[in-house]
Amino acid sequence: MLARRDRMEPARADELNRRLWEQMERYQQLWSGMPVYTYISYRREADTRRLVRELWKRGIPVAAPRTEDGRMEFYRIRSESDLTAGYRGIPEPVCGCEKAEEERALVIVPGAVFDLQGYRIGYGGGYYDRFMAREPGHETMGLAYDFQVVPRLPVEEYDLPVGKILTTSGLLP
């Protein structure tokens, strides 16, 4: 699935991200004012950068993940200058950003593939599953292109599903 996503032509990725953005605009939970914790898209991941810029414009708090010593935490970001290239060049908050500690936020979760029950296969570190287990009060939403959603995935005991998946065709389930 990652190979298929990463092989997309730039024009195709732009088209899918345009369609995904149209779905994001319709999803009222994003615009409710609740803080949003989101990954910052990298390479051909479902794009979050436009979303982050729009959230900033609307004054909605945004936080992005940074991993340290095997643990993922979210830190508030207020501009592009709050981001730096981290592990493998993945954008993450610079040191000095304020730790995000909301009791309730909408957490946008990346994944290589999702299933219709909300389970996902990520990138192998288990960071999001551990975060969701540690902070279960947050709403969670996967962000994916339609081809990244399959009927069912194998599930391990520590895997946690996301509450919803927003795709280029709409909201699941």
Side-chain angles (χ1 to χ4, degrees), residues 75-103:
Y75 294 86
R76 287 191 183 270
I77 55 171
R78 292 177 171 84
S79 72
E80 298 271 345
S81 65
D82 284 342
L83 297 168
T84 190
Y87 176 69
R88 292 189 176 177
I90 297 170
E92 63 181 32
V94 297
C95 291
C97 287
E98 171 191 359
K99 186 175 177 187
E101 299 186 275
E102 280 79 15
E103 289 183 24

PDB file of all heavy atoms in Angstrom, residues 75-103:
ATOM      1  N   TYR A  75       2.788  18.727  20.499  1.00  0.00           N
ATOM      2  CA  TYR A  75       3.226  20.065  20.876  1.00  0.00           C
ATOM      3  C   TYR A  75       2.523  21.081  19.988  1.00  0.00           C
ATOM      4  O   TYR A  75       2.366  20.865  18.782  1.00  0.00           O
ATOM      5  CB  TYR A  75       4.751  20.203  20.713  1.00  0.00           C
ATOM      6  CG  TYR A  75       5.500  19.321  21.678  1.00  0.00           C
ATOM      7  CD1 TYR A  75       5.773  17.994  21.370  1.00  0.00           C
ATOM      8  CD2 TYR A  75       5.914  19.809  22.912  1.00  0.00           C
ATOM      9  CE1 TYR A  75       6.444  17.170  22.267  1.00  0.00           C
ATOM     10  CE2 TYR A  75       6.584  18.991  23.813  1.00  0.00           C
ATOM     11  CZ  TYR A  75       6.841  17.676  23.477  1.00  0.00           C
ATOM     12  OH  TYR A  75       7.494  16.861  24.368  1.00  0.00           O
ATOM     13  N   ARG A  76       2.136  22.186  20.598  1.00  0.00           N
ATOM     14  CA  ARG A  76       1.442  23.247  19.848  1.00  0.00           C
ATOM     15  C   ARG A  76       2.367  23.836  18.785  1.00  0.00           C
ATOM     16  O   ARG A  76       3.539  24.096  19.064  1.00  0.00           O
ATOM     17  CB  ARG A  76       1.000  24.360  20.778  1.00  0.00           C
ATOM     18  CG  ARG A  76      -0.161  23.970  21.643  1.00  0.00           C
ATOM     19  CD  ARG A  76      -0.686  25.226  22.336  1.00  0.00           C
ATOM     20  NE  ARG A  76      -1.751  24.878  23.229  1.00  0.00           N
ATOM     21  CZ  ARG A  76      -3.030  24.835  22.873  1.00  0.00           C
ATOM     22  NH1 ARG A  76      -3.378  25.121  21.651  1.00  0.00           N
ATOM     23  NH2 ARG A  76      -3.948  24.516  23.758  1.00  0.00           N
ATOM     24  N   ILE A  77       1.799  24.029  17.631  1.00  0.00           N
ATOM     25  CA  ILE A  77       2.519  24.725  16.561  1.00  0.00           C
ATOM     26  C   ILE A  77       1.663  25.913  16.124  1.00  0.00           C
ATOM     27  O   ILE A  77       0.444  25.813  16.047  1.00  0.00           O
ATOM     28  CB  ILE A  77       2.861  23.795  15.376  1.00  0.00           C
ATOM     29  CG1 ILE A  77       1.623  23.106  14.836  1.00  0.00           C
ATOM     30  CG2 ILE A  77       3.928  22.781  15.801  1.00  0.00           C
ATOM     31  CD1 ILE A  77       1.851  22.337  13.537  1.00  0.00           C
ATOM     32  N   ARG A  78       2.324  27.026  15.882  1.00  0.00           N
ATOM     33  CA  ARG A  78       1.607  28.255  15.540  1.00  0.00           C
ATOM     34  C   ARG A  78       1.976  28.798  14.169  1.00  0.00           C
ATOM     35  O   ARG A  78       1.347  29.705  13.667  1.00  0.00           O
ATOM     36  CB  ARG A  78       1.847  29.288  16.621  1.00  0.00           C
ATOM     37  CG  ARG A  78       1.201  28.903  17.945  1.00  0.00           C
ATOM     38  CD  ARG A  78       1.493  29.905  19.059  1.00  0.00           C
ATOM     39  NE  ARG A  78       0.689  29.624  20.238  1.00  0.00           N
ATOM     40  CZ  ARG A  78       1.009  28.743  21.177  1.00  0.00           C
ATOM     41  NH1 ARG A  78       2.127  28.059  21.076  1.00  0.00           N
ATOM     42  NH2 ARG A  78       0.229  28.548  22.219  1.00  0.00           N
ATOM     43  N   SER A  79       3.030  28.218  13.580  1.00  0.00           N
ATOM     44  CA  SER A  79       3.449  28.628  12.235  1.00  0.00           C
ATOM     45  C   SER A  79       4.377  27.561  11.666  1.00  0.00           C
ATOM     46  O   SER A  79       4.825  26.675  12.395  1.00  0.00           O
ATOM     47  CB  SER A  79       4.179  29.978  12.285  1.00  0.00           C
ATOM     48  OG  SER A  79       5.457  29.822  12.877  1.00  0.00           O
ATOM     49  N   GLU A  80       4.645  27.676  10.386  1.00  0.00           N
ATOM     50  CA  GLU A  80       5.553  26.727   9.725  1.00  0.00           C
ATOM     51  C   GLU A  80       6.937  26.741  10.373  1.00  0.00           C
ATOM     52  O   GLU A  80       7.630  25.731  10.378  1.00  0.00           O
ATOM     53  CB  GLU A  80       5.693  27.071   8.238  1.00  0.00           C
ATOM     54  CG  GLU A  80       4.395  26.994   7.460  1.00  0.00           C
ATOM     55  CD  GLU A  80       4.106  25.624   6.876  1.00  0.00           C
ATOM     56  OE1 GLU A  80       5.023  24.795   6.818  1.00  0.00           O
ATOM     57  OE2 GLU A  80       2.953  25.408   6.498  1.00  0.00           O
ATOM     58  N   SER A  81       7.321  27.879  10.940  1.00  0.00           N
ATOM     59  CA  SER A  81       8.650  27.965  11.566  1.00  0.00           C
ATOM     60  C   SER A  81       8.757  27.127  12.835  1.00  0.00           C
ATOM     61  O   SER A  81       9.856  26.923  13.351  1.00  0.00           O
ATOM     62  CB  SER A  81       9.018  29.426  11.852  1.00  0.00           C
ATOM     63  OG  SER A  81       8.142  29.962  12.813  1.00  0.00           O
ATOM     64  N   ASP A  82       7.619  26.632  13.344  1.00  0.00           N
ATOM     65  CA  ASP A  82       7.636  25.751  14.511  1.00  0.00           C
ATOM     66  C   ASP A  82       7.945  24.307  14.139  1.00  0.00           C
ATOM     67  O   ASP A  82       7.938  23.436  15.005  1.00  0.00           O
ATOM     68  CB  ASP A  82       6.286  25.788  15.249  1.00  0.00           C
ATOM     69  CG  ASP A  82       6.096  27.051  16.064  1.00  0.00           C
ATOM     70  OD1 ASP A  82       7.094  27.745  16.347  1.00  0.00           O
ATOM     71  OD2 ASP A  82       4.942  27.345  16.427  1.00  0.00           O
ATOM     72  N   LEU A  83       8.186  24.042  12.850  1.00  0.00           N
ATOM     73  CA  LEU A  83       8.443  22.676  12.385  1.00  0.00           C
ATOM     74  C   LEU A  83       9.872  22.513  11.905  1.00  0.00           C
ATOM     75  O   LEU A  83      10.460  23.446  11.343  1.00  0.00           O
ATOM     76  CB  LEU A  83       7.477  22.318  11.246  1.00  0.00           C
ATOM     77  CG  LEU A  83       5.996  22.292  11.618  1.00  0.00           C
ATOM     78  CD1 LEU A  83       5.139  22.208  10.364  1.00  0.00           C
ATOM     79  CD2 LEU A  83       5.706  21.143  12.565  1.00  0.00           C
ATOM     80  N   THR A  84      10.401  21.328  12.109  1.00  0.00           N
ATOM     81  CA  THR A  84      11.735  20.982  11.631  1.00  0.00           C
ATOM     82  C   THR A  84      11.718  19.534  11.141  1.00  0.00           C
ATOM     83  O   THR A  84      10.812  18.777  11.486  1.00  0.00           O
ATOM     84  CB  THR A  84      12.788  21.175  12.745  1.00  0.00           C
ATOM     85  OG1 THR A  84      14.091  21.051  12.191  1.00  0.00           O
ATOM     86  CG2 THR A  84      12.617  20.167  13.866  1.00  0.00           C
ATOM     87  N   ALA A  85      12.713  19.176  10.346  1.00  0.00           N
ATOM     88  CA  ALA A  85      12.815  17.793   9.884  1.00  0.00           C
ATOM     89  C   ALA A  85      13.326  16.924  11.019  1.00  0.00           C
ATOM     90  O   ALA A  85      14.388  17.184  11.583  1.00  0.00           O
ATOM     91  CB  ALA A  85      13.747  17.706   8.682  1.00  0.00           C
ATOM     92  N   GLY A  86      12.566  15.895  11.351  1.00  0.00           N
ATOM     93  CA  GLY A  86      12.958  14.958  12.396  1.00  0.00           C
ATOM     94  C   GLY A  86      13.440  13.651  11.788  1.00  0.00           C
ATOM     95  O   GLY A  86      14.023  13.630  10.702  1.00  0.00           O
ATOM     96  N   TYR A  87      13.151  12.564  12.463  1.00  0.00           N
ATOM     97  CA  TYR A  87      13.537  11.231  12.010  1.00  0.00           C
ATOM     98  C   TYR A  87      13.068  11.004  10.588  1.00  0.00           C
ATOM     99  O   TYR A  87      11.904  11.237  10.264  1.00  0.00           O
ATOM    100  CB  TYR A  87      12.932  10.200  12.969  1.00  0.00           C
ATOM    101  CG  TYR A  87      13.156   8.765  12.577  1.00  0.00           C
ATOM    102  CD1 TYR A  87      14.428   8.207  12.642  1.00  0.00           C
ATOM    103  CD2 TYR A  87      12.113   7.978  12.140  1.00  0.00           C
ATOM    104  CE1 TYR A  87      14.643   6.887  12.286  1.00  0.00           C
ATOM    105  CE2 TYR A  87      12.311   6.648  11.790  1.00  0.00           C
ATOM    106  CZ  TYR A  87      13.579   6.112  11.858  1.00  0.00           C
ATOM    107  OH  TYR A  87      13.790   4.813  11.500  1.00  0.00           O
ATOM    108  N   ARG A  88      13.989  10.581   9.710  1.00  0.00           N
ATOM    109  CA  ARG A  88      13.717  10.324   8.291  1.00  0.00           C
ATOM    110  C   ARG A  88      13.174  11.545   7.557  1.00  0.00           C
ATOM    111  O   ARG A  88      12.513  11.422   6.543  1.00  0.00           O
ATOM    112  CB  ARG A  88      12.759   9.155   8.114  1.00  0.00           C
ATOM    113  CG  ARG A  88      13.334   7.821   8.510  1.00  0.00           C
ATOM    114  CD  ARG A  88      12.417   6.715   8.096  1.00  0.00           C
ATOM    115  NE  ARG A  88      13.009   5.427   8.402  1.00  0.00           N
ATOM    116  CZ  ARG A  88      12.412   4.283   8.204  1.00  0.00           C
ATOM    117  NH1 ARG A  88      11.206   4.248   7.696  1.00  0.00           N
ATOM    118  NH2 ARG A  88      12.999   3.157   8.513  1.00  0.00           N
ATOM    119  N   GLY A  89      13.379  12.721   8.111  1.00  0.00           N
ATOM    120  CA  GLY A  89      12.915  13.945   7.475  1.00  0.00           C
ATOM    121  C   GLY A  89      11.462  14.270   7.749  1.00  0.00           C
ATOM    122  O   GLY A  89      10.917  15.232   7.199  1.00  0.00           O
ATOM    123  N   ILE A  90      10.814  13.505   8.613  1.00  0.00           N
ATOM    124  CA  ILE A  90       9.402  13.733   8.929  1.00  0.00           C
ATOM    125  C   ILE A  90       9.279  15.026   9.738  1.00  0.00           C
ATOM    126  O   ILE A  90       9.983  15.213  10.738  1.00  0.00           O
ATOM    127  CB  ILE A  90       8.831  12.536   9.719  1.00  0.00           C
ATOM    128  CG1 ILE A  90       8.897  11.271   8.848  1.00  0.00           C
ATOM    129  CG2 ILE A  90       7.405  12.815  10.175  1.00  0.00           C
ATOM    130  CD1 ILE A  90       8.594   9.991   9.597  1.00  0.00           C
ATOM    131  N   PRO A  91       8.388  15.939   9.313  1.00  0.00           N
ATOM    132  CA  PRO A  91       8.236  17.205  10.035  1.00  0.00           C
ATOM    133  C   PRO A  91       7.715  16.988  11.460  1.00  0.00           C
ATOM    134  O   PRO A  91       6.797  16.205  11.683  1.00  0.00           O
ATOM    135  CB  PRO A  91       7.198  17.969   9.208  1.00  0.00           C
ATOM    136  CG  PRO A  91       7.162  17.291   7.884  1.00  0.00           C
ATOM    137  CD  PRO A  91       7.528  15.868   8.127  1.00  0.00           C
ATOM    138  N   GLU A  92       8.322  17.698  12.399  1.00  0.00           N
ATOM    139  CA  GLU A  92       7.894  17.634  13.791  1.00  0.00           C
ATOM    140  C   GLU A  92       8.143  18.981  14.451  1.00  0.00           C
ATOM    141  O   GLU A  92       8.928  19.800  13.958  1.00  0.00           O
ATOM    142  CB  GLU A  92       8.626  16.526  14.539  1.00  0.00           C
ATOM    143  CG  GLU A  92      10.103  16.710  14.634  1.00  0.00           C
ATOM    144  CD  GLU A  92      10.795  15.572  15.374  1.00  0.00           C
ATOM    145  OE1 GLU A  92      10.333  14.417  15.294  1.00  0.00           O
ATOM    146  OE2 GLU A  92      11.816  15.846  16.024  1.00  0.00           O
ATOM    147  N   PRO A  93       7.480  19.242  15.576  1.00  0.00           N
ATOM    148  CA  PRO A  93       7.682  20.512  16.274  1.00  0.00           C
ATOM    149  C   PRO A  93       9.116  20.657  16.769  1.00  0.00           C
ATOM    150  O   PRO A  93       9.735  19.683  17.200  1.00  0.00           O
ATOM    151  CB  PRO A  93       6.713  20.434  17.460  1.00  0.00           C
ATOM    152  CG  PRO A  93       5.696  19.417  17.061  1.00  0.00           C
ATOM    153  CD  PRO A  93       6.429  18.436  16.202  1.00  0.00           C
ATOM    154  N   VAL A  94       9.617  21.869  16.697  1.00  0.00           N
ATOM    155  CA  VAL A  94      10.948  22.148  17.209  1.00  0.00           C
ATOM    156  C   VAL A  94      10.929  22.093  18.733  1.00  0.00           C
ATOM    157  O   VAL A  94       9.880  22.223  19.364  1.00  0.00           O
ATOM    158  CB  VAL A  94      11.465  23.543  16.742  1.00  0.00           C
ATOM    159  CG1 VAL A  94      11.591  23.601  15.235  1.00  0.00           C
ATOM    160  CG2 VAL A  94      10.562  24.660  17.253  1.00  0.00           C
ATOM    161  N   CYS A  95      12.093  21.903  19.323  1.00  0.00           N
ATOM    162  CA  CYS A  95      12.194  21.964  20.775  1.00  0.00           C
ATOM    163  C   CYS A  95      11.817  23.383  21.201  1.00  0.00           C
ATOM    164  O   CYS A  95      12.106  24.346  20.506  1.00  0.00           O
ATOM    165  CB  CYS A  95      13.617  21.641  21.225  1.00  0.00           C
ATOM    166  SG  CYS A  95      14.040  19.912  20.959  1.00  0.00           S
ATOM    167  N   GLY A  96      11.158  23.487  22.307  1.00  0.00           N
ATOM    168  CA  GLY A  96      10.718  24.795  22.785  1.00  0.00           C
ATOM    169  C   GLY A  96       9.243  25.046  22.543  1.00  0.00           C
ATOM    170  O   GLY A  96       8.673  25.970  23.127  1.00  0.00           O
ATOM    171  N   CYS A  97       8.600  24.230  21.698  1.00  0.00           N
ATOM    172  CA  CYS A  97       7.152  24.366  21.518  1.00  0.00           C
ATOM    173  C   CYS A  97       6.463  23.873  22.789  1.00  0.00           C
ATOM    174  O   CYS A  97       6.927  22.943  23.445  1.00  0.00           O
ATOM    175  CB  CYS A  97       6.662  23.552  20.316  1.00  0.00           C
ATOM    176  SG  CYS A  97       7.103  24.261  18.717  1.00  0.00           S
ATOM    177  N   GLU A  98       5.343  24.499  23.110  1.00  0.00           N
ATOM    178  CA  GLU A  98       4.581  24.147  24.305  1.00  0.00           C
ATOM    179  C   GLU A  98       3.896  22.789  24.139  1.00  0.00           C
ATOM    180  O   GLU A  98       3.282  22.511  23.105  1.00  0.00           O
ATOM    181  CB  GLU A  98       3.527  25.235  24.531  1.00  0.00           C
ATOM    182  CG  GLU A  98       2.514  24.957  25.581  1.00  0.00           C
ATOM    183  CD  GLU A  98       1.364  25.963  25.560  1.00  0.00           C
ATOM    184  OE1 GLU A  98       1.364  26.899  24.742  1.00  0.00           O
ATOM    185  OE2 GLU A  98       0.453  25.777  26.384  1.00  0.00           O
ATOM    186  N   LYS A  99       3.999  21.955  25.152  1.00  0.00           N
ATOM    187  CA  LYS A  99       3.336  20.650  25.115  1.00  0.00           C
ATOM    188  C   LYS A  99       1.822  20.858  25.124  1.00  0.00           C
ATOM    189  O   LYS A  99       1.299  21.655  25.900  1.00  0.00           O
ATOM    190  CB  LYS A  99       3.767  19.797  26.304  1.00  0.00           C
ATOM    191  CG  LYS A  99       3.239  18.388  26.244  1.00  0.00           C
ATOM    192  CD  LYS A  99       3.785  17.545  27.377  1.00  0.00           C
ATOM    193  CE  LYS A  99       3.183  16.171  27.341  1.00  0.00           C
ATOM    194  NZ  LYS A  99       3.552  15.382  28.502  1.00  0.00           N
ATOM    195  N   ALA A 100       1.112  20.144  24.263  1.00  0.00           N
ATOM    196  CA  ALA A 100      -0.352  20.211  24.204  1.00  0.00           C
ATOM    197  C   ALA A 100      -0.910  19.231  25.216  1.00  0.00           C
ATOM    198  O   ALA A 100      -0.569  18.049  25.184  1.00  0.00           O
ATOM    199  CB  ALA A 100      -0.834  19.870  22.791  1.00  0.00           C
ATOM    200  N   GLU A 101      -1.740  19.729  26.098  1.00  0.00           N
ATOM    201  CA  GLU A 101      -2.248  18.873  27.168  1.00  0.00           C
ATOM    202  C   GLU A 101      -3.755  18.997  27.342  1.00  0.00           C
ATOM    203  O   GLU A 101      -4.267  18.905  28.452  1.00  0.00           O
ATOM    204  CB  GLU A 101      -1.525  19.199  28.476  1.00  0.00           C
ATOM    205  CG  GLU A 101      -0.037  18.962  28.371  1.00  0.00           C
ATOM    206  CD  GLU A 101       0.696  19.144  29.680  1.00  0.00           C
ATOM    207  OE1 GLU A 101       1.052  20.298  29.997  1.00  0.00           O
ATOM    208  OE2 GLU A 101       0.890  18.123  30.370  1.00  0.00           O
ATOM    209  N   GLU A 102      -4.482  19.166  26.239  1.00  0.00           N
ATOM    210  CA  GLU A 102      -5.931  19.252  26.315  1.00  0.00           C
ATOM    211  C   GLU A 102      -6.527  17.926  26.765  1.00  0.00           C
ATOM    212  O   GLU A 102      -6.017  16.868  26.413  1.00  0.00           O
ATOM    213  CB  GLU A 102      -6.527  19.617  24.940  1.00  0.00           C
ATOM    214  CG  GLU A 102      -6.448  21.075  24.596  1.00  0.00           C
ATOM    215  CD  GLU A 102      -5.072  21.525  24.113  1.00  0.00           C
ATOM    216  OE1 GLU A 102      -4.245  20.672  23.781  1.00  0.00           O
ATOM    217  OE2 GLU A 102      -4.844  22.733  24.074  1.00  0.00           O
ATOM    218  N   GLU A 103      -7.613  18.014  27.504  1.00  0.00           N
ATOM    219  CA  GLU A 103      -8.322  16.796  27.893  1.00  0.00           C
ATOM    220  C   GLU A 103      -9.061  16.198  26.705  1.00  0.00           C
ATOM    221  O   GLU A 103      -9.261  14.992  26.647  1.00  0.00           O
ATOM    222  CB  GLU A 103      -9.303  17.093  29.022  1.00  0.00           C
ATOM    223  CG  GLU A 103      -8.624  17.375  30.339  1.00  0.00           C
ATOM    224  CD  GLU A 103      -9.611  17.599  31.466  1.00  0.00           C
ATOM    225  OE1 GLU A 103     -10.760  17.114  31.368  1.00  0.00           O
ATOM    226  OE2 GLU A 103      -9.223  18.256  32.434  1.00  0.00           O
TER     227      GLU A 103
END
